[in-house]
Amino acid sequence: MSEKDCLIPQPPRRDYQESARRGRTLVTIFGLASICWTTVHLYAFLAIGTPPWTDERPISHLQDQCPQVEPLFPANHSPALDLMDKFILSNRWRNETISHLTGAVQIPSESYDDMPPVGQDDRWNIFFEIADYMKKTFPEVHKTLELEKVNTHGLLFTWHGSDESLKPTVLMAHQDVVPVAKSTVSQWTYPPYSGHYDGKYIWGRGVSDCKNTLIGIMEAVELLIIANFKPKRTLILSFGFDEETLGFEGAGHLAPVLLERYGEDGVSMIIDEGSGVGNLWGSQFAMPATAEKGYIDVEIVVRMPGGHSSIPPAHNGIGVMSELITTIEANPYESHIHTGNPMLGMLACGAAHSPDFPPKLRGLLDHRDSNDSGKDELALEVAEISNGLKYLVTTSVAPDVIEGGVKNNALPERTRLLVNHRVNIGDHTSVVKDKLTSLAETVANKYNLTLHAFDDEAETPRSITLRAEKTLLEPAPVTPTSVDGVTPYGILSGTTRALYGSGMLMSPGSSTGNTDTKEYWALTKHIFRYGPGWDPEDDKSLGRIHTVDERLSVKNHIKTVQWYSIFIQNVDEASLP
């Protein structure tokens, strides 16, 4: 690539590009949290079911909707920074970072759904070990950055910049991992907390969700400090410790500290774990999630008379609950792509840049009515491709937990159901409440039961009660993806194309799960859930998040560190507020 390909002219530069083959292998980097983040893996299915007909309409208008920025390299150079770039590619540093990541994986920092507040359960104490390990492993970070411990285990690092008028940048990760079920330990190729390195992969719980991000950020900052990099723009590292259990103790305390300090819209941009690289219809796309679906758990309780099971009524509480579940599942939500859903941007990018984009989708996209009302033929066509894509444009409903009855000869007096919903981008949790109320009312009337629907009334005999759990969350605000002028999305995109070359295309993505960023919405409009590491030779590892044999290629991890080191410099040089 010539110097004119860069956004900023520069002398001979560091070569971040991947010189090896650029295959079309799907690589899924999707984290979550919670989620975590499997959405990118599902994008690959978009090439399935291409209709045999063709469409000759020009797509220049779609290209206008999916502009690609030039690769963006840091303009400022120094001998120390150039040496840093070479050092990251050395065998010596490779061995060091492998040791650092395996050491982090070896700490079983599990978080559980039933954990009470910090200080009331010894299981929180494992996070003292994480903090100690970070201090030992990254001494320059701890010497240079200010560290605050929020709610005991939240780690908030501040690298103060020289220009206090510039809004800070926030990089996020979480320290916790999902627990390993004891019944599955024997199924692992290597023990889940061994951090085993086999010459290509590091194995273990949390290695890809998201201790790779945690260690990757710290590695990049440590190296920049050693290279005598001095930021103008303040950089904040915010590391929660219970993201896998909704983040109330970690991000729920860290975000208010930053909000009080910097105010609403007081941060330039936030990057947290999330989606990454995937193959869309024959082209390689990096797809940072610029939105997240909403979330609501609804508890449904059926109260009916008990008694001896030898003299049962025609329908008892479990039977009535079963009918209600069947009714709920028989009335799914209709797929709809609301204006602003990143799916529209992703489809436009595929139509503009991918050789195998289905002509039928292009036609529906080209003639889509911008009115959000009525049947959405484009969304319905997308939903037919795969369940994964369907639930990027549809509210999901899943009865997940059911309880009822205490003994084999006693009729159940109280039957409980927990139904999880992930609310479509552009919809509201009130839609879920209204629909469940209507469905429950039909069943309640049939069996002459009183309905208490989200009214905070106590349960009564012969009743159906609906309650929203405290987990209620509206869909996230959609992050802007303009690249006109200097923008946060443009900097992220340019950094990615600097690392992987101009063959890597950028597209907005979205997430079916939720990250710790849900606590940070007030701080900035520019929130990206993005896993920047990518190994084109590994298309399977990240499908193992939250399950047996979680692993990560070392090449992916090194690319993560490179990306953060370039990005920190790029955002520091950018003419953002």
Side-chain angles (χ1 to χ4, degrees), residues 258-371:
L258 294 177
L259 187 60
E260 182 179 0
R261 186 168 297 166
Y262 298 105
E264 290 192 14
D265 198 30
V267 164
S268 65
M269 60 192 298
I270 294 173
I271 298 179
D272 193 10
E273 61 170 342
S275 53
V277 176
N279 186 291
L280 294 184
W281 308 286
S283 296
Q284 213 67 251
F285 279 90
M287 295 169 280
T290 55
E292 291 181 341
K293 296 178 74 174
Y295 186 107
I296 178 173
D297 286 323
V298 177
E299 181 187 50
I300 303 176
V301 176
V302 173
R303 294 288 296 268
M304 294 187 72
H308 201 285
S309 58
S310 65
I311 312 175
H315 302 280
N316 67 22
I318 290 177
V320 172
M321 183 68 85
S322 298
E323 183 170 337
L324 181 52
I325 293 172
T326 301
T327 301
I328 291 170
E329 291 187 337
N331 290 273
Y333 293 82
E334 188 168 282
S335 299
H336 195 93
I337 305 177
H338 294 274
T339 301
N341 189 324
M343 175 61 75
L344 284 174
M346 189 267 286
L347 291 171
C349 286
H353 298 289
S354 294
D356 302 327
F357 189 79
K360 185 175 183 181
L361 279 180
R362 177 177 289 127
L364 290 169
L365 184 64
D366 196 38
H367 296 98
R368 182 177 183 272
D369 186 349
S370 61
N371 191 335

Side-chain angles (χ1 to χ4, degrees), residues 158-215:
T158 302
W159 197 357
H160 293 284
S162 59
D163 188 345
E164 294 183 359
S165 68
L166 299 176
K167 294 181 180 181
T169 301
V170 178
L171 304 180
M172 294 173 57
H174 59 87
Q175 307 167 58
D176 61 313
V177 302
V178 297
V180 175
K182 292 181 180 179
S183 61
T184 67
V185 171
S186 62
Q187 300 173 31
W188 286 69
T189 302
Y190 305 101
Y193 291 110
S194 64
H196 179 83
Y197 173 55
D198 66 2
K200 182 175 181 179
Y201 300 103
I202 299 171
W203 301 68
R205 171 63 82 235
V207 69
S208 55
D209 182 20
C210 67
K211 288 184 177 176
N212 58 321
T213 303
L214 179 71
I215 298 301

Side-chain angles (χ1 to χ4, degrees), residues 74-87:
N76 296 325
H77 289 266
S78 73
L81 286 170
D82 291 338
L83 285 173
M84 179 195 76
D85 295 328
K86 294 178 181 178
F87 184 54

Side-chain angles (χ1 to χ4, degrees), residues 551-570:
R551 71 182 188 184
L552 183 81
S553 78
V554 170
K555 186 174 185 178
N556 181 303
H557 176 60
I558 290 173
K559 288 296 183 183
T560 297
V561 177
Q562 287 182 289
W563 190 91
Y564 279 111
S565 69
I566 305 169
F567 173 79
I568 291 169
Q569 295 174 77
N570 278 341

